[in-house]
Amino acid sequence: MRVLLVEDDNRVVEALVEALHRAHLTVRRVGTAAEALTAFHDADLVLLDMGLPDQDGLALCRQIRAASEVPIIAVTARREEAALVSALRAGVDDYVVKPYSPAVLLARIEAVMRRFGHAPVTPVAEVGDLRLDHQAKEAFLAGRNLGLTRKEFELLSMLAQARGECVTREALMGGIWDTAWVGASRTLDVHVSSLRAKLGQPGLVQTVRGVGYRVAVEEAQGARTGTGS
Ligand code: CA
């Protein structure tokens, strides 16, 4: 499921993206209303900060609502009744008042998506010839079951959800081992190595030096032709 995160505060974004990835949601983040207006068409849900630098959140919400039925959850620092009433009238489906916990936000997302008939997690995700079955926790490359362990699957899943964007080491360690302890860093490297070996295409999971890892989407798309002929 694709979430468009409209939020200008970088400090908020970092923790939030991590929590959303952990819930196997694909996140695209924009920091302005202008960008949001071009990006919402591709989203299954919009998480909208009402305090944006270039436009009033309510006006943005009305503009999106005029063009689309996409579920919108407003994130606002204002808890007065009048502000919340205005947000609902502008077309938001739910709202969360800052500061909030990621767990509460995820529960709200799930509730809204249930109302819209979406499963909270895409049961099967595909990136090129890479196919991830989140219910069975199995991954396939060009039809071949990779036989991943649970941790290897979670690692590949987080990378695949980012669709070619880099996922930081901290986000991976936090998402998979629920920790940022130093020892997990080595554990992460070991799992990346074993995952690459099972993929049989070492270039599919690329190292972004000093930052983290990414899936080479272009290689995932070439997997079938690469091994088939
Ligand atoms: Ca803001």
Side-chain angles (χ1 to χ4, degrees):
M1 209 186 84
R2 301 159 304 174
V3 174
L4 176 65
L5 172 61
V6 188
E7 170 65 72
D8 60 314
D9 187 340
N10 286 329
R11 292 164 306 174
V12 174
V13 166
E14 204 168 315
L16 199 50
V17 167
E18 190 180 312
L20 294 170
H21 277 159
R22 205 180 298 190
H24 302 295
L25 299 167
T26 304
V27 186
R28 176 168 177 199
R29 183 261 175 140
V30 296
T32 63
E35 289 172 285
L37 279 173
T38 63
F40 77 84
H41 298 283
D42 295 327
D44 298 309
L45 180 129
V46 178
L47 213 51
L48 178 61
D49 172 29
M50 297 304 268
L52 292 168
D54 59 333
Q55 196 184 356
D56 171 53
L58 284 176
L60 173 62
C61 192
R62 282 190 209 98
Q63 277 176 280
I64 294 175
R65 192 47 83 233
S68 164
E69 292 287 298
V70 65
I72 302 173
I73 297 180
V75 179
T76 170
R78 302 175 57 189
R79 56 174 67 249
E80 321 91 77
E81 190 180 65
L84 301 177
V85 168
S86 304
L88 288 168
R89 290 223 168 106
V92 310
D93 297 286
D94 201 354
Y95 52 77
V96 180
V97 178
K98 288 180 180 179
Y100 55 84
S101 78
V104 166
L105 180 64
L106 285 171
R108 293 288 179 90
I109 290 175
E110 283 185 24
V112 167
M113 294 315 286
R114 262 199 309 277
R115 260 171 25 218
F116 280 76
H118 279 263
V121 171
T122 313
V124 176
E126 294 190 23
V127 180
D129 287 340
L130 205 52
R131 188 169 177 278
L132 286 94
D133 183 333
H134 282 109
Q135 250 127 43
K137 305 280 181 207
E138 287 182 331
F140 303 81
L141 182 62
R144 174 174 59 93
N145 190 332
L146 297 172
L148 302 185
T149 64
R150 177 62 72 97
K151 295 294 188 201
E152 289 163 356
F153 179 85
E154 287 177 16
L155 173 59
L156 184 59
S157 170
M158 282 187 73
L159 295 173
Q161 291 280 330
R163 306 217 152 242
E165 301 276 317
C166 174
V167 185
T168 65
R169 298 181 62 88
E170 291 72 25
L172 290 167
M173 289 188 284
I176 300 166
W177 288 278
D178 231 348
T179 177
W181 57 271
V182 188
S185 183
R186 171 80 186 128
T187 307
L188 173 61
D189 294 332
V190 169
H191 280 77
V192 170
S193 298
S194 60
L195 175 60
R196 280 176 173 154
K198 289 182 180 178
L199 285 164
Q201 266 185 285
L204 203 62
V205 173
Q206 292 182 340
T207 305
V208 181
R209 195 187 288 252
V211 184
Y213 298 96
R214 64 179 286 270
V215 162
V217 176
E218 56 290 351
E219 287 224 19
Q221 270 148 5
R224 197 180 304 266
T225 46
T227 54
S229 56

